[in-house]
């Protein structure tokens, strides 16, 4: 019986190699950052805690449930404000981009409020909405909305006119053009706007939790500041960074899946 010969082994797919290389570089960067942090802490710079001390404090906060409760409280506020901001920004951006009348009516307000930091509205939010959860979520919502609405608007404005004209020649109506041409073409802009909005939401969290909060990562960091508890502050910072990074990676994954038709480097 003749021996069955097999062809040469297939080389690893370029995408898989790129992913492995990226992960290796990410791990190397984390290791280098931890080593640099440990070296700085070893010099006694301004009482800077080292990685081991911060890890020990994180273990204590996890053991008594404080870190989990604070994380869940902050996640709830960020996700609520981010979701509301994005869900509002996308239709408003589409209206501004598709209808010149809507653009003329809404753009001055959008550009006006973009120049005002959401944190500057905290005193007004407290006066009008009290000190409950509503003003906290509102400030986060505003940060996410203002970051996302311009991206959605720009996505509609930048749709190739040739595609729209070709669809009209083929007999497509406004509704079909909007659903089959405009939305897919604007999707990359929307997803980039969502990533920026997510970063703005996390960036606003600590200040939002100044509003009479009783739990949350920002609240815990502010309490730790009063007692010069640097390890707890570092635990809060790292937790916010890790959560923000994980959520950003999820949005990147969604972006790749929804925009596979795009050419990538």
């Amino acid at each position: 019986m003749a021996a069955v010969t097999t062809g040469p082994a297939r080389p690893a797919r370029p995408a898989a190699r790129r992913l492995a290389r990226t992960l290796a570089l990410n791990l190397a960067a984390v290791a280098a950052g931890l080593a640099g942090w440990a070296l700085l802490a070893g010099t006694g710079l301004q009482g800077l805690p080292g990685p081991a001390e911060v890890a020990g404090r994180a273990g204590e906060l996890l053991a008594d449930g404080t870190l989990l409760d604070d994380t869940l409280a902050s996640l709830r506020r960020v996700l609520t404000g981010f979701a509301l901001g994005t869900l509002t920004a996308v239709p408003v951006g589409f209206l501004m981009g598709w209808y010149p009348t809507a653009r003329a009516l809404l753009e001055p307000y959008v550009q006006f409020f973009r120049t005002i930091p959401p944190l500057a509205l905290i005193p007004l939010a407290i006066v009008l909405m009290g000190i409950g959860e509503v003003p906290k979520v509102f400030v986060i919502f505003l940060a996410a909305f203002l970051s996302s609405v311009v991206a959605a608007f720009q996505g509609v404005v930048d749709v190739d006119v040739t595609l729209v004209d070709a669809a009209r020649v083929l007999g497509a109506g406004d509704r079909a053009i909007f659903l089959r041409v405009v939305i897919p073409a604007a999707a990359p802009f929307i997803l980039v706007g969502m990533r920026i909005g997510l970063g703005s939401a996390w960036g606003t969290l600590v200040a939002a939790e100044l509003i009479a909060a009783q739990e949350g990562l920002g609240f815990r960091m502010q309490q730790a500041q009063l007692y010069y508890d640097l390890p707890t502050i570092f635990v809060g910072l790292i937790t916010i960074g890790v959560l923000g990074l994980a959520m950003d990676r999820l949005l990147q994954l969604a972006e790749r899946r929804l925009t596979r038709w795009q050419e990538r480097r």
Side-chain angles (χ1 to χ4, degrees):
M1 184 174 178
V4 178
T5 59
T6 59
R10 286 184 178 182
R13 290 183 301 173
R17 288 201 299 268
R18 284 198 301 269
L19 178 61
R21 181 174 181 273
T22 299
L23 289 175
L25 289 173
N26 288 161
L27 291 174
V30 171
L34 289 173
W37 178 12
L39 285 174
L40 282 175
T43 64
L45 177 66
Q46 296 291 326
L48 180 70
E53 186 179 355
V54 172
R57 182 57 178 154
E60 295 171 2
L61 294 172
L62 278 172
D64 63 15
T66 301
L67 184 57
L68 179 60
D69 291 343
D70 287 339
T71 300
L72 291 176
S74 293
L75 264 176
R76 182 179 67 248
R77 290 166 184 145
V78 167
L79 289 176
T80 303
F82 171 69
L84 291 174
T86 301
L87 291 174
T88 307
V90 171
V92 171
F94 278 173
L95 280 173
M96 291 169 54
W98 192 249
Y99 298 107
T101 302
R103 183 188 313 176
L105 291 172
L106 296 175
E107 190 175 17
Y109 289 101
V110 171
Q111 298 301 337
F112 172 79
F113 281 104
R114 282 186 65 222
T115 63
I116 302 174
L119 304 185
L121 297 175
I122 287 180
L124 181 62
I126 294 174
V127 171
L128 296 179
M129 303 175 188
I131 57 173
E133 287 296 302
V134 175
K136 301 177 184 64
V137 173
F138 171 75
V139 173
I140 296 171
F141 153 80
L142 196 60
F145 171 81
L146 294 173
S147 299
S148 301
V149 68
V150 175
F153 160 69
Q154 198 63 44
V156 176
V157 171
D158 283 356
V159 173
D160 191 345
V161 177
T162 305
L163 298 177
V164 177
D165 291 341
R168 290 194 191 281
V169 169
L170 294 173
D174 283 348
R175 185 173 182 274
I177 291 173
F178 192 77
L179 293 176
R180 296 179 177 271
V181 178
V182 175
I183 291 180
F189 289 85
I190 295 170
L191 290 165
V192 169
M194 289 176 66
R195 291 180 62 192
I196 297 172
L198 179 63
S200 299
W202 278 110
T204 310
L205 171 71
V206 175
E209 290 182 341
L210 280 169
I211 308 173
Q214 298 300 316
E215 59 182 353
L217 295 169
F219 164 77
R220 195 65 53 193
M221 291 165 61
Q222 293 163 37
Q223 291 296 304
Q225 174 194 355
L226 299 176
Y227 302 100
Y228 204 70
D229 185 359
L230 289 178
T232 299
I233 294 175
F234 270 81
V235 171
L237 287 172
I238 293 171
T239 304
I240 289 174
V242 169
L243 290 173
L245 179 61
M247 293 172 69
D248 183 74
R249 289 294 180 265
L250 289 175
L251 283 177
Q252 276 189 313
L253 179 61
E255 180 184 0
R256 290 194 187 97
R257 301 222 169 179
L258 292 173
T259 59
R260 289 177 178 173
W261 48 270
Q262 273 193 313
E263 293 185 4
R264 299 180 184 277
R265 289 196 301 162

